[in-house]
Amino acid sequence: MELRETFNTSEENYDRFRPGYPEELFSDIFSYAGLKQGSFVIEIGTGTGQATLPFLQKGCKVTGIELGDRLSEYARQKFGAYENFRIITGDFCDVELMPDSCDLVFSATAFHWLPVEESLQKVKKILRPGGALALFWNHPFPNREDDPTNAASRQVYDKYRPSPKKQIEFTEKDLAAWKDRLADAGFDFIEAKLYRRKRTLTTERYIGLLNTYSDHIALPEKTKQLFEQEMRRAIDAAGGSINIYDTIDLYMGKTV
């Protein structure tokens, strides 16, 4: 099983524990893309719909594309009351879509699983002239040295999943890579923006969140059990909750 397919094994956990995105981010996308009721939107990697609802509430006609059959069925049931929602089960690169047919293509913490150059060119083909692309990710950071709850978590990671690479928080300078990718693919009027927030999760919610990450799901079962047992003890000893510092990065570009 590929790592990107592991999400399809835990759709209820994914919907329960994965966070949504800031309201300001959606407002910025709506404004940039000029979305209105009836605008045709494609979402790549719908998952269980952490980023879908604002577009439906805006009145856009949303077509989600989701690789996992269990995830897509979950989203189909979740948004069943919305006549402006449909979902296709499949890989974005393989799904046939009409050229020049949509006003916006967006993807929330999913586009990196695709072959980037090929996928960006396909996006350009299906966007109408003046159509927009919006790509965004959430980068959770529970590794601040001045936060004792983060230190507790780090001790468990260092024991069970040691890495020589220092954990670094996402910053403004990290925006350059995706801005360059969009420019190289021929998008214009490129904009990039960061949003920040702090979440405080109980021990059990943090364990639940870990079980939505592909690399955690893929751990050998014995290692996973020991890791989670010690993580519970460490976070409980630090007060029963952990602080997570999120950075959300948004990239937008238009066709001409």
Side-chain angles (χ1 to χ4, degrees):
M1 180 186 294
E2 295 183 25
L3 280 181
R4 68 172 183 159
E5 296 174 343
T6 59
F7 304 115
N8 198 48
T9 65
S10 56
E11 65 277 13
E12 291 185 2
N13 271 351
Y14 198 96
D15 193 43
R16 181 181 177 189
F17 295 112
R18 278 294 179 105
Y21 298 87
E23 291 184 9
E24 184 184 359
L25 175 144
F26 295 110
S27 295
D28 288 341
I29 295 173
F30 297 160
S31 176
Y32 179 87
L35 296 184
K36 57 185 181 297
Q37 185 168 346
S39 293
F40 183 43
V41 172
I42 288 178
E43 178 181 12
I44 300 172
T46 301
T48 59
Q50 271 66 20
T52 310
L53 187 59
F55 296 92
L56 295 174
Q57 292 175 331
K58 184 74 174 176
C60 299
K61 297 178 180 178
V62 178
T63 296
I65 300 174
E66 171 52 51
L67 179 68
D69 57 344
R70 289 169 57 171
L71 288 168
S72 61
E73 181 58 28
Y74 192 98
R76 184 177 290 110
Q77 296 295 324
K78 181 177 180 178
F79 300 119
Y82 288 88
E83 294 182 359
N84 52 329
F85 177 74
R86 73 179 184 117
I87 191 161
I88 299 170
T89 304
D91 189 315
F92 172 70
C93 293
D94 299 330
V95 173
E96 292 188 11
L97 298 164
M98 290 290 292
D100 302 323
S101 63
C102 61
D103 302 294
L104 172 74
V105 174
F106 79 94
S107 183
T109 315
F111 203 80
H112 58 286
W113 293 109
L114 299 173
V116 172
E117 293 182 8
E118 175 187 346
S119 301
L120 287 175
Q121 292 307 315
K122 183 169 184 176
V123 168
K124 285 184 65 180
K125 289 179 181 179
I126 63 178
L127 285 173
R128 296 187 176 115
L133 168 67
L135 304 177
F136 47 101
W137 284 265
N138 184 42
H139 303 277
F141 189 76
N143 291 291
R144 288 194 176 177
E145 294 180 357
D146 60 349
D147 188 321
T149 70
N150 287 196
S153 171
R154 187 77 260 150
Q155 288 176 358
V156 181
Y157 268 98
D158 287 345
K159 179 176 180 179
Y160 287 97
R161 300 182 59 190
S163 172
K165 186 176 181 181
K166 181 177 174 59
Q167 299 294 316
I168 301 174
E169 199 163 358
F170 196 94
T171 64
E172 293 275 354
K173 71 179 188 313
D174 297 309
L175 295 172
W178 275 100
K179 288 174 67 177
D180 289 346
R181 290 183 184 108
L182 265 59
D184 290 344
F187 286 89
D188 290 301
F189 309 108
I190 296 167
E191 295 185 13
K193 187 174 180 180
L194 291 184
Y195 311 82
R196 298 191 186 279
R197 68 185 173 194
K198 174 183 173 182
R199 289 179 288 144
T200 300
L201 303 183
T202 64
T203 302
E204 287 307 312
R205 287 199 67 83
Y206 185 53
I207 297 298
L209 177 65
L210 293 178
N211 276 282
T212 71
Y213 293 152
S214 58
D215 53 354
H216 186 80
I217 296 170
L219 286 174
E221 188 59 30
K222 183 63 175 179
T223 303
K224 186 169 175 288
Q225 289 177 4
L226 291 171
F227 178 98
E228 292 181 9
Q229 288 171 6
E230 292 211 21
M231 184 65 75
R232 284 188 176 92
R233 286 196 291 267
I235 301 301
D236 283 345
S241 63
I242 182 172
N243 297 318
I244 298 179
Y245 302 88
D246 288 336
T247 304
I248 299 96
D249 52 329
L250 167 67
Y251 310 87
M252 298 182 291
K254 289 186 177 180
T255 59
V256 293

